[in-house]
Every structure is written in C-alpha cells, then in structure tokens.
Amino acid sequence: MPAVQETIEQVRSIDVDKYKYGFTTEIETEKPEKGLSEDIIRYISARKEEPEWMLEWRLDAYKRWLTMTEPGWAKVEYPKIDFQDIYYYAAPKGQDAPKSLDEVDPELLLTYEKLGIPLKEQEVLAGVQGARVAVDAVFDSVSVVTTFKDELAKHGIIFCSISEAMRDHPDLVKKYLGSVVPVTDNYYATLNSAVFSDGSFVYIPKGVRCPMELSTYFRINEMDTGQFERTLIIADEGSYVSYLEGCTAPMRDTNQLHAAVVELIALDDAEIKYSTVQNWYPGDKDGKGGIYNFVTKRGDCRGKNSKISWTQVETGSAITWKYPSCILRGDNSRGEFYSIAISNGRQQIDSGTKMVHLGKNTSSRIISKGIAAGHSDNTYRGLVSAHAKAANARNFTQCDSLLIGHKCGAHTVPYIEAKTATAVFEHEATTSKISDDQMFYCLSRGLGEEEAVALIVNGFVRDVIQHLPMEFMVETQKLIGISLEGSVG
Amino acid sequence: MLTTVERVQTAAEKALSDYFAGTDIADSARGAEVRRAAMVRFQEQGLPHRRIEEWKYTDLRTAMREAPALPETGDALAAGDLSAYAAGYRAVFVNGRLDTAASELPEAAGVTVTSLAEALEADAGLAERLDGAMEGADSPVRDLNTAFADQGMVIAIADGATLDRPLQIIHRFVGEAPASVFLRHALRVGDNATATVAEVFEGPDGLAYHVNTAARIDVGTQANVTYLRLQADGTQAFNLATLEADIGAGAELTLIAASFGAALSRVQASVKFSGEHAILKHGGLKMLRGKQHADLTMFVDHAVPNCVSEELEKTVLDDAARGVFQGKIVVRPDAQKTDGRMMTQALLLSEGAEADNKPELEIYADDVQCGHGATSGQIDETLLFYLRSRGIPESQARSLLIQAFAGEVVDEIEDEALRGIVAGHAARWLGVELDV
C-alpha cells in the first residue's frame, strides 16, 4: 500500500514543527471593534449588503442568545470564553467582492498556494491526476474566491458564498436557512445565527449530478477573531453532490473560537456526501493556544429515498465539540457517519453523531474510530433514536477506540432509544491498545517504532478512510502520521 | 443573563419534608445530624428529573406525584404465606418492620445477623460506612433513604465462614393503606468467606405504596458472594433502590437484579474494585408490560489493575412498558489489564414499548480490553419460522424464544431454589406452566 509508505515518509520527514499550516499571512485587515453587540451585528449585515429580513433574523438570534447559557455537558474542559474579547468580523482589505482571480490580493493567493489549495481553475489538487475540484476559499470572515462558477452554472448548479446567495437567490436562502438547525438550536448555533459571516451556498437542481467535487477551504488568519461560517447545501430531487471541507489556522498562543453551522437538505431521491478534514491548529504540546471548534452540523433527509453521508477526519483543534447528524424524515432515507478522530498532546475531542429515525424503513450506519495519544481525551457521544412511527428503522453502530500511552483517555457515550418494536438497532464498541504482538511483528520486519504505529493505526481506520473522496484519502493518511508524531517512546 | 428560578416544591417533595419534620429522630440510634443533613440535601435538590443526566430517562419529579405517609406504628400485620421461601433463611419485613415470628435467621458460627438499630449501637464505625455514598451511588433518592431509614438488616460473615443456606430478606407489603417504606441493609463478608443473600420485594397489585432501600455490600479478600435482587412488587408500587458494593482482592461478586413488578422502579448500583484480580458478574432481567417503567443504572469503577467485570442486561417489554439501562464502566489510569464487557439487549414485543440504552465507557488506562454492545429489536422472525416449521404453534414458539432470551440471566443464579423462584416469575409473566 503506497499510501502507508507515504505516511511513514511523512512521519520521518517531520522533525520539530509538526503543524505545517501554522504560518500567518501579512495582510491588511479591516475589522470593527472587539465584542458583541447589536451594533456589530448591524455592521456585519451592512458590510454584506444584506436584505432587511436577514438583519432582523440576526438580531432576533442575538436576543435569544443573550438568554441562553453555555452548555456544560460535553467531556471537555476549558477556561470560560470571554465573548466580548473576540473580533466578530475580519476581512482582508479591499477583498469584499473581487470579480475575478486577478483582483484577489496576491498575498492571499500565495497563502492558498502554500496550503496546497488550487484557486486557478487549470490547477488540480496536488498529487491527484485529472480530478477537478471547485473551491470556495474563505479567509477569516469573507469568501475571497469561488472557482468553476461558470462551468457549474451551465448545469444550473449554484455554488457561491452565502453572502452572494442572499443577494442573488434570496428566495432559496429564506426558504431553507435555519430550517434544519433552528435559530435557538443550541448556544453556539444561536451565536452563529447572530454573527455568521461567510460560508458556502450550494444548490443542485432537480436530477443533476454535480460534475465535480465542491469544496470550501476555511482559513483563520487574524488574531483574536472568531470564525462563524454558515454553510447551506440543498440537493433538489434526484440530484447528487459531493462536498469537501478543509480548514487550517496559524499557530498562536491564544485560543480562537470557531463556531460554524452547516445545514444540509436532501429532497426526494437526492444524495449529499459531505467530507471534512479538520486540521485547525491544535495548540502546542502543553495545550497552549489552538482553536475551539464548536460546530453544529446537521443534515435533513427531507425527501423519500434520500441519503446523507458524513465523513470526518478530526485531527486538529484544541477542543472539538461536534456532532454531524442526520434527521431521517423521508421514508426509506439513509444516513451515514464515518469518523476518524485523532487526539494528541492536550487535545480534547467530544464528537459523534445523531441519527434520528422519523420515517418508515429508514436506515443508518455509524462507524467511528477514535485514537487517543499523549495527554488527550477523546470521547464518542452519539444518539440513535427511532420514533414510534419509524417502522423498520435500522441502525448499525461500531465505535472503536485505540489508546496510545497511559496518560490519555478514550470514552464512549452512546444513547440508544427505540420507541418502536420494529426498529432493529445494533451497537458495538471496543477499546484497546496497540497490542505488543502487532508492534513486535512490525519491529521484527525492520520498521521503526513510529512507522509501526502509523502502519497499525492506518489499518485501524481503514474502514473509514475508504469512504473519503480520493482527494482526501492521501492527505488523510499523511495527516494520521503527522498527528501521532511524538506519541510513542 | 442568568435568571434564577425559585424551585417550587412538588406535592411529593413537600409531603416528604413534612413527614421528616414529624418523625421523632432525637432518640433514634442513627446520628440525627447525618439524617438531618441528608434531608437538607434532598430539600435543596428535590426529586431528580430529566434535566439531570443520570435521570434523563426516569423523570421521578413528574412520575412521583405524591408520597404516601410513613407506615402506621400500630399492631404488626401478618406476613402471610412464605412457603415459597422455605429453602433458605428468612428475614421478613412487613411494611418495613421486621416480623421476628415469621423470620428464620441463621445462627451458625461466624454469622451475625442483627437489626440496623442494634448493629449501629454495637459498631461505632458502621454509621459512617453506611452514610458516605460511593461514587455513582449518590442521589436524592439515597438522601431520602439516609434521612428516613431506621430499620434494616446488618449481616456479617466472619473470615473463612460460610453461610450454609441463602439468606432471603423478604420485603412484603400488606394491607390496604399505602405507605412509604425506607430500609437500609448492610452485608459484610469477610476474607475467604462465602454467602448468598437475596432481597425479595412483594406486594398487592393496585396499591400505590413506595419502597426505598439502600444496601451496602463489602466483599472481603478471596470471598465469594452472590447478591440477588428480585423485585416483584404490586403493579402500582414505586421501588427505588441504591446498591453499593466494594470488592476486595481476588474476590468474586455475582449481582443479579430481576424486575417484574412496580409501576416505576429503579436500581442505582455502584460497584468498586478495591483489590486486584477480582471479578464482578452482573445479570439484569426486566420483564414488563402495561405502563411499567424499570431503570437499572450501573457504575462500575475499575480503580485497580487486573479485574474483570461482565454485565449482561436483558429487557423484555410488552404493551407500553419502558425499560432503561444505563451502564458506565470507568477504568482509572492505573487499572491496567482490565477486562470489561457490557452487553444490553432489549426485546420489544409491542409497538408502544420503549427501550433506552446508554452503555458508557470511560477509559484512562491503555492496556485494557473493554467493550460494550447494545441491541434492540423484536423477536427474530427467522427463529420463529424455524420453530413453527417444526410444528410448534406461534404463541408457544414466541414464549419459548422469550424464555431462552431471559434464561441467560436466570441461569446465572447458582442456588437452585432461588433460580426456581426467579424462573417461576418469568414463566408466570409469560403465562406458561413451568416444569422444573
């Protein structure tokens, strides 16, 4: 398996600095004052030239947020966040609405080049021949460029930043925004509803199979800013789309907040495949700095025979708090969740999924692989529920945890609620360590300790990796090697 | 903006406070201070409700509309027929009071069985041991027990001694007036000692009486203990229990909880390994129908290395019954070579039934083997088809399959007489004749 070889090489090539996306871009930024108030919300809304109803929506969310309290049930610990000490909006100067790539600040283009994200349409992702990916690049609070727009438009596909969508397709936004994650869903979703800046909007018309992968690349650059992006994907009847999401941030000593909301809607016979490689800055080895990743992601299988599949690779962030979920409303709809969560250093991950079976003959599948190393804590928290009318609901869940070292923790907290006799639920969970036999075998074949660990771990997560799009597979295998760097010996 | 809402006492909470104010605890043997403190804690927290994570599926505040009064202190009521329990020793509590005439207590060497009041007088350290809650056992329900319970059995088995026959603590509710009964038991089994103790709960259908028991089990080094809890209360009863067990090195504890009765029941069990190479075997069985609700919440604390815990929970639900299982295995940082396995299975026989399962793992040691499984579903159609193709009528085939499902737990009971009693309840639940 050449990819395994690559992991090994990657591990070998890295000496000290294992987070290679930690650089900062020197660029002039416009940002209003720190802190959260109605004025800031009005400012954001005005900057984005939003319609009046949108501003009302935000202000309503803000008022509701003021009455809410921070949730404390997740198995993560962090000092209290001062919501008045955050910049809620930061935009590279003069980059509000570049018409073409030529107008984009070359410094920004260089940033994405360094990150390996192709913004020129003739380029392709490094290492993958012939694959074309349309990219929406979000830098701090704004979308700087969206590629392949014209070609996608030929198919009737709308792929643009959500700010643009609000101006150009207000009916669609108005109809679907907040319909999966309501404004008051939870503390961070409500905060996001009030101050969200940019994100991607995708609409796939009836019967269209999206001809290329769509992707968004999120980059936090400014210090003390929060990124609050909002993504809305609608797959109309009989359509298909595969969407990728990537993210990185510079290395800083202070924690930064990232509170996103992602809403997916699949109508009759539609399918959405959503893949994430989350590689926010995880903080240094002592747990200083890093991103707080408090994200609400939910897909609604609204139509019959619809399907939503989440695949996530979580390697970054100081704290992850994220549960990509599926509401299986349509009859015969299907939800899938494939996850690899790797924590090292002082990272804390509390992640999982919710599969809510509402329609008849709905099915879901959860495969979660958690790997904890260093001093980290890695929790799988999931809900599978079947309501009384969800006849013949089926679920299969498998969550495996692997512990590397004895200073870390791996936890499994599943909630399984069956309210109908015809629902068949199966749940399995195991926790183990890399066995001495496996290590001995690898070492006896001449592999070094870290190579052996990377090899075994890659085997452990294979069930999930094979569900990733080609573009991410290679990257992920490398990432696994990097994330576990320094975890043995 | 945080608005603090003044908590409004529910009718049941108020009634319990009033009963406590009316009890004369000044001359009681147990520390009045401890009891008052427990009542204050209860008054602060109130009855647990669904916003409290451990009580998510059992909302006691909503379910417990009223709390019946404490039992009358008049003439003792007759226990009634006890022939089913003839095989073992008996400590019989009628409406919360020990019926000495109906009881047959063991008198063998090394076995001491005394009432709670006597034991507290004899052993100054006992009160402290009983009052401090183990992790995973603390709750307002336990606080209520601490505040009210002044009756119970204290059983001590000396080092190397053997209890030759099982001791059955029979809680029977009789009469027509409902009451709230609180009992506290303690079982201390010495090193290399052996004992089987069973708690049995019975009462009339249709009477809304409440039982709240707490038991503390200490298992000595290399000891072997079986603790059975058979709850067959009346259909309107409330049965709330706290079980705490501490297992010494090399010891083995078999903990079986079978629930057939009560409108609402909950067992909150906490088991801690305090010595290496010990074994915990837990078997849980719930067979419910109507609108019955039964909850088993378990906390297994692997505090030391090299211990094994196995939990098997079986739930059979008919009509609109609801079965809850919450199990948590914690493996502490030093508890290497832990072997922890938890399995929970629910069989739903009717559209309206609900099974809620929450098996949890919290692991801090790397060299362990831990796993849990959870399934829920209806009777396997292929198995049913197989039996029917062999000429067995459908209803009989169904009951055979349910018996086999429940049997996995029943078979864990080693004592033949006790196993027969539990199997009898299962058979009666299914409406079949049992030929043993």
Side-chain angles (χ1 to χ4, degrees):
Chain A
M1 221 174 133
V4 172
Q5 191 53 43
E6 267 196 66
T7 308
I8 293 165
E9 278 162 16
Q10 200 73 34
V11 171
R12 188 177 289 150
S13 69
I14 294 156
D15 286 332
V16 206
D17 174 22
K18 61 175 175 164
Y19 191 74
K20 64 170 175 176
Y21 307 108
F23 62 88
T24 49
T25 305
E26 292 298 331
I27 193 161
E28 211 181 326
T29 307
E30 278 187 83
K31 49 192 177 189
E33 298 212 327
K34 272 184 182 178
L36 184 54
S37 64
E38 279 197 20
D39 290 346
I40 288 294
I41 293 166
R42 284 177 202 282
Y43 174 87
I44 295 172
S45 192
R47 276 301 295 265
K48 299 161 81 68
E49 296 164 31
E50 285 176 356
E52 185 62 25
W53 62 267
M54 199 59 234
L55 176 64
E56 290 303 317
W57 202 76
R58 287 174 181 274
L59 291 174
D60 175 56
Y62 176 63
K63 283 190 194 107
R64 287 162 187 269
W65 180 75
L66 288 175
T67 65
M68 297 167 92
T69 44
E70 246 179 291
W73 44 262
K75 208 175 162 46
V76 292
E77 273 174 33
Y78 54 92
K80 214 164 158 45
I81 298 170
D82 182 355
F83 289 94
Q84 296 305 336
D85 196 31
I86 296 173
Y87 288 110
Y88 285 86
Y89 189 84
K93 211 164 196 172
Q95 300 295 318
D96 268 7
K99 293 280 173 300
S100 72
L101 217 51
D102 305 333
E103 291 178 26
V104 176
D105 192 318
E107 194 65 36
L108 278 178
L109 293 180
L110 197 67
T111 304
Y112 283 93
E113 203 172 295
K114 269 165 100 176
L115 295 168
I117 306 301
L119 293 185
K120 295 197 177 104
E121 298 189 0
Q122 64 273 21
E123 284 176 359
V124 291
L125 270 186
V128 185
Q129 288 294 320
R132 291 189 310 165
V133 180
V135 180
D136 180 21
V138 178
F139 193 83
D140 287 330
S141 300
V142 293
S143 164
V144 288
V145 65
T146 311
T147 62
F148 287 105
K149 265 167 112 169
D150 298 341
E151 194 176 335
L152 291 168
K154 279 184 212 153
H155 298 270
I157 296 167
I158 305 167
F159 179 44
C160 60
S161 74
I162 201 142
S163 312
E164 264 179 272
M166 254 180 275
R167 290 193 293 268
D168 303 343
H169 312 281
D171 296 343
L172 281 172
V173 176
K174 211 169 171 175
K175 184 171 174 192
Y176 291 108
L177 190 73
S179 73
V180 185
V181 179
V183 171
T184 50
D185 190 78
N186 68 68
Y187 191 75
Y188 295 105
T190 309
L191 177 64
N192 176 287
S193 300
V195 299
F196 74 87
S197 37
D198 230 330
S200 304
F201 176 83
V202 178
Y203 174 79
I204 315 288
K206 276 181 196 173
V208 173
R209 194 180 163 87
C210 187
M212 62 180 88
E213 305 272 346
L214 303 185
S215 88
T216 304
Y217 199 87
F218 296 101
R219 173 79 179 165
I220 296 180
N221 187 61
E222 269 310 299
M223 196 137 139
D224 297 334
T225 52
Q227 192 176 51
F228 304 93
E229 92 258 7
R230 185 113 194 171
T231 298
L232 179 59
I233 300 176
I234 304 143
D236 212 326
E237 290 170 26
S239 65
Y240 169 85
V241 62
S242 169
Y243 182 92
L244 324 174
E245 181 197 85
C247 28
T248 54
M251 293 161 75
R252 296 197 197 283
D253 285 350
T254 50
N255 297 106
Q256 279 175 287
L257 178 64
H258 172 255
V261 172
V262 175
E263 296 178 280
L264 311 183
I265 296 136
L267 301 178
D268 288 359
D269 305 298
E271 182 178 344
I272 301 173
K273 186 174 162 67
Y274 193 108
S275 315
T276 310
V277 172
Q278 187 265 100
N279 191 19
W280 295 116
Y281 177 54
D284 67 6
K285 64 179 182 358
D286 300 318
K288 202 166 185 200
I291 302 287
Y292 290 167
N293 189 32
F294 300 157
V295 179
T296 308
K297 290 185 173 183
R298 197 172 301 156
D300 189 352
C301 286
R302 212 164 275 184
K304 288 185 192 113
N305 309 315
S306 55
K307 181 178 168 186
I308 288 177
S309 168
W310 296 100
T311 307
Q312 64 169 21
V313 178
E314 301 285 320
T315 58
S317 295
I319 298 173
T320 302
W321 184 94
K322 151 175 187 195
Y323 314 91
S325 311
C326 295
I327 314 288
L328 304 168
R329 206 184 298 274
D331 290 349
N332 312 320
S333 59
R334 180 167 172 82
E336 289 176 354
F337 175 77
Y338 300 103
S339 165
I340 301 172
I342 304 176
S343 56
N344 200 349
R346 303 268 173 187
Q347 278 178 279
Q348 302 175 55
I349 298 181
D350 193 308
S351 181
T353 186
K354 286 184 193 173
M355 293 289 173
V356 181
H357 294 257
L358 301 174
K360 291 188 184 70
N361 307 314
T362 49
S363 61
S364 59
R365 187 179 160 90
I366 300 170
I367 309 282
S368 164
K369 305 276 181 181
I371 299 149
H375 290 81
S376 67
D377 268 302
N378 197 326
T379 307
Y380 166 84
R381 188 185 302 274
L383 166 76
V384 176
S385 80
H387 284 249
K389 286 180 182 155
N392 304 316
R394 300 217 159 229
N395 166 267
F396 175 77
T397 302
Q398 188 182 344
C399 11
D400 297 323
S401 307
L402 193 66
L403 288 148
I404 301 175
H406 57 277
K407 297 238 158 47
C408 49
H411 321 300
T412 317
V413 191
Y415 295 72
I416 306 148
E417 305 174 3
K419 294 189 173 80
T420 170
T422 54
V424 177
F425 288 170
E426 290 168 88
H427 171 102
E428 231 184 302
T430 62
T431 303
S432 52
K433 70 160 196 165
I434 294 178
S435 81
D436 296 343
D437 292 353
Q438 286 169 328
M439 277 309 271
F440 178 75
Y441 180 85
C442 292
L443 296 182
S444 73
R445 291 297 179 279
L447 294 179
E449 232 178 307
E450 289 201 334
E451 294 164 342
V453 169
L455 180 75
I456 294 163
V457 170
N458 266 312
F460 176 74
V461 299
R462 240 178 68 157
D463 295 351
V464 174
I465 289 204
Q466 63 194 17
H467 290 279
L468 280 170
M470 195 54 157
E471 290 76 10
F472 274 8
M473 243 169 156
V474 180
E475 195 192 336
T476 303
Q477 273 164 336
K478 287 184 196 166
L479 209 54
I480 289 168
I482 297 165
S483 305
L484 294 171
E485 222 281 31
S487 62
V488 284
Chain B
M1 241 191 309
L2 261 169
T3 45
T4 28
V5 183
E6 193 67 26
R7 217 178 57 70
V8 182
Q9 269 198 334
T10 66
E13 286 164 6
K14 181 156 191 322
L16 288 161
S17 296
D18 291 347
Y19 303 151
F20 188 75
T23 36
D24 178 21
I25 55 165
D27 53 358
S28 122
R30 289 180 61 212
E33 226 169 278
V34 171
R35 296 178 64 174
R36 287 204 185 91
M39 196 62 206
V40 168
R41 280 200 302 278
F42 171 75
Q43 282 163 340
E44 277 165 6
Q45 294 178 67
L47 287 165
H49 50 87
R50 65 190 171 83
R51 310 286 292 183
I52 295 170
E53 181 65 20
E54 298 80 48
W55 294 80
K56 182 178 161 63
Y57 297 114
T58 302
D59 189 337
L60 206 57
R61 183 173 291 176
T62 313
M64 198 194 256
R65 295 237 175 84
E66 48 200 34
L70 299 176
E72 299 279 327
T73 46
D75 292 335
L77 295 157
D81 180 24
L82 288 164
S83 58
Y85 306 103
Y89 297 112
R90 294 176 306 279
V92 182
F93 286 90
V94 179
N95 294 11
R97 283 165 71 187
L98 184 65
D99 181 341
T100 357
S103 301
E104 185 201 341
L105 301 177
E107 280 167 6
V111 179
T112 336
V113 181
T114 43
S115 75
L116 184 68
E118 287 165 17
L120 283 164
E121 251 167 59
D123 178 0
L126 182 65
E128 201 182 318
R129 225 170 63 234
L130 292 183
D131 289 323
M134 283 174 50
E135 190 178 341
D138 211 359
S139 77
V141 168
R142 191 185 186 280
D143 286 335
L144 276 181
N145 188 284
T146 305
F148 284 105
D150 56 0
Q151 297 248 15
M153 281 277 99
V154 177
I155 304 148
I157 314 287
D159 292 353
T162 299
L163 186 62
D164 59 342
R165 287 191 285 153
L167 171 61
Q168 305 159 103
I169 305 173
I170 299 162
H171 305 82
R172 197 168 261 193
F173 202 91
V174 297
E176 275 150 25
S180 296
V181 172
F182 297 89
L183 288 148
R184 173 75 58 114
H185 305 299
L187 168 65
R188 173 161 232 160
V189 182
D191 301 348
N192 298 302
T194 306
T196 297
V197 173
E199 275 189 82
V200 181
F201 298 86
E202 291 176 345
D205 285 346
L207 190 69
Y209 62 94
H210 290 191
V211 183
N212 179 330
T213 62
R216 162 87 197 207
I217 306 161
D218 287 282
V219 183
T221 306
Q222 305 283 352
N224 192 326
V225 175
T226 298
Y227 200 87
L228 169 71
R229 197 171 184 286
L230 168 60
Q231 187 268 107
D233 268 317
T235 49
Q236 291 304 312
F238 270 57
N239 187 308
L240 302 168
T242 310
L243 269 183
E244 291 161 272
D246 183 296
I247 311 179
E252 186 173 334
L253 172 66
T254 306
L255 202 61
I256 313 263
S259 299
F260 299 93
L264 183 144
S265 67
R266 167 153 163 141
V267 179
Q268 181 151 347
S270 171
V271 183
K272 184 182 175 181
F273 289 101
S274 55
E276 291 189 35
H277 301 286
I279 299 171
L280 166 72
K281 282 186 190 158
H282 163 74
L285 174 64
K286 300 184 198 103
M287 296 181 93
L288 311 168
R289 59 161 53 96
K291 285 185 167 180
Q292 282 182 298
H293 177 122
D295 176 337
L296 186 119
T297 296
M298 188 157 200
F299 180 84
V300 180
D301 190 348
H302 280 272
V304 294
N306 296 309
C307 290
V308 177
S309 67
E310 277 174 39
E311 289 90 40
L312 176 65
E313 182 75 13
K314 297 266 186 176
T315 308
V316 185
L317 302 166
D318 204 350
D319 304 329
R322 190 169 179 195
V324 179
F325 172 77
Q326 306 183 95
K328 185 171 184 175
I329 299 178
V330 176
V331 179
R332 306 277 173 193
D334 298 328
Q336 299 293 4
K337 308 274 179 202
T338 288
D339 194 342
R341 281 190 296 267
M342 186 177 272
M343 185 73 198
T344 166
Q345 296 181 311
L347 193 58
L348 279 68
L349 305 176
S350 144
E351 275 299 310
E354 176 175 343
D356 299 311
N357 281 309
K358 189 182 153 200
E360 261 183 84
L361 293 171
E362 193 175 318
I363 296 170
Y364 296 98
D366 63 339
D367 193 3
V368 299
Q369 285 284 351
C370 282
H372 64 222
T375 64
S376 73
Q378 51 191 350
I379 289 180
D380 191 332
E381 290 296 326
T382 51
L383 295 179
L384 205 56
F385 177 77
Y386 176 84
L387 290 173
R388 290 182 69 190
S389 73
R390 293 294 180 279
I392 298 170
E394 187 178 339
S395 63
Q396 209 178 324
R398 276 181 185 280
S399 99
L400 257 177
L401 289 171
I402 298 168
Q403 260 179 294
F405 179 81
E408 282 185 56
V409 171
V410 178
D411 289 347
E412 282 186 33
I413 307 168
E414 229 168 87
D415 183 80
E416 207 175 314
L418 288 174
R419 189 171 63 238
I421 294 170
V422 176
H425 276 284
R428 266 198 299 287
W429 192 89
L430 285 163
V432 296
E433 289 295 315
L434 194 71
D435 39 304
V436 210

